Amino acid sequence: MKRLEEYVRSIPDFPEEGIIFRDVTSILQDADGLALSIDGIIEMLKETEYDVVVGPESRGFIFGVPVAYAMHKSFVPVRKKGKLPCETIEMSYDLEYGSATIEMHRDAIQPGQKVVIVDDLIATGGTIEAIVRMVEQLGGQVVKICFVMELAGLKGREKLEGYDVRSLICYPGN
């Protein structure tokens, strides 16, 4: 079996010149790559005590749900504003060009629950920072944040300082 890094397709000059796009779909479309990524996240959580897995749409669902299932934990989806049917809390955050708002159900996290956040990629960290704030607003405790890939040059970890952040693959640039 190859290393996980070997399943990532790198596309130069996308979406603009000078950017190397790291494509997670090439991990997903290979059974071994998918297994390596899910097993790798589970391994990161081996010594962690937690109650619930939280993941943002859509790729946080792809990686978070199998982890939650394998570890017999619940899964909480975080979605774009207006996509969840019950009472929600929301958080806005800045993007490179503009802003976005995400939501989670108000009853999704109970006070005192230990939470793991799972997503495919950390870049600038804005989405995950917003999720952390929502979890804490509901009384949850974020005990670990796991990513398949990290673009270290975009300094997303700086927004998550003080939290246990792990990634399976770390690219030094952006």
Side-chain angles (χ1 to χ4, degrees):
M1 191 180 300
K2 300 186 289 189
R3 292 181 0 210
L4 184 58
E5 293 90 327
E6 296 176 71
Y7 292 95
V8 178
R9 179 175 32 206
S10 297
I11 303 164
D13 299 322
F14 183 82
E16 57 188 52
E17 194 170 325
I19 301 293
I20 299 174
F21 184 82
R22 308 296 182 176
D23 185 10
V24 74
T25 65
S26 53
I27 292 173
L28 300 174
Q29 67 193 29
D30 187 289
D32 290 338
L34 179 59
L36 278 172
S37 62
I38 300 303
D39 291 346
I41 294 169
I42 290 170
E43 181 65 25
M44 280 193 264
L45 296 171
K46 193 165 79 173
E47 302 296 322
T48 306
E49 184 182 320
Y50 62 103
D51 304 303
V52 62
V53 176
V54 171
E57 77 174 285
S58 63
R59 292 176 302 261
F61 295 6
I62 292 169
F63 294 101
V65 168
V67 169
Y69 174 80
M71 303 311 295
H72 199 71
K73 305 293 182 182
S74 60
F75 179 81
V76 172
V78 175
R79 302 214 52 202
K80 294 173 184 150
K81 186 176 175 68
K83 300 289 185 182
L84 291 171
C86 297
E87 187 179 354
T88 61
I89 63 168
E90 67 180 48
M91 194 68 57
S92 295
Y93 60 98
D94 292 328
L95 299 167
E96 189 175 354
Y97 303 105
S99 64
T101 301
I102 53 177
E103 296 179 320
M104 84 171 37
H105 282 138
R106 182 171 294 282
D107 62 357
I109 304 293
Q110 301 307 308
Q113 280 190 310
K114 294 179 180 178
V115 175
V116 167
I117 301 170
V118 174
D119 203 2
D120 70 320
L121 174 75
I122 179 171
T124 62
T127 304
I128 301 302
E129 180 186 34
I131 292 171
V132 166
R133 290 180 16 215
M134 286 193 297
V135 166
E136 291 175 347
Q137 181 181 331
L138 293 174
Q141 176 191 3
V142 176
V143 295
K144 193 167 282 186
I145 305 170
C146 301
F147 300 97
V148 175
M149 296 185 289
E150 176 177 355
L151 303 179
L154 295 176
K155 302 180 189 312
R157 278 183 185 259
E158 291 178 7
K159 287 185 178 158
L160 304 173
E161 195 170 328
Y163 296 93
D164 186 354
V165 177
R166 308 284 176 97
S167 57
L168 295 173
I169 304 169
C170 184
Y171 296 103
N174 48 342

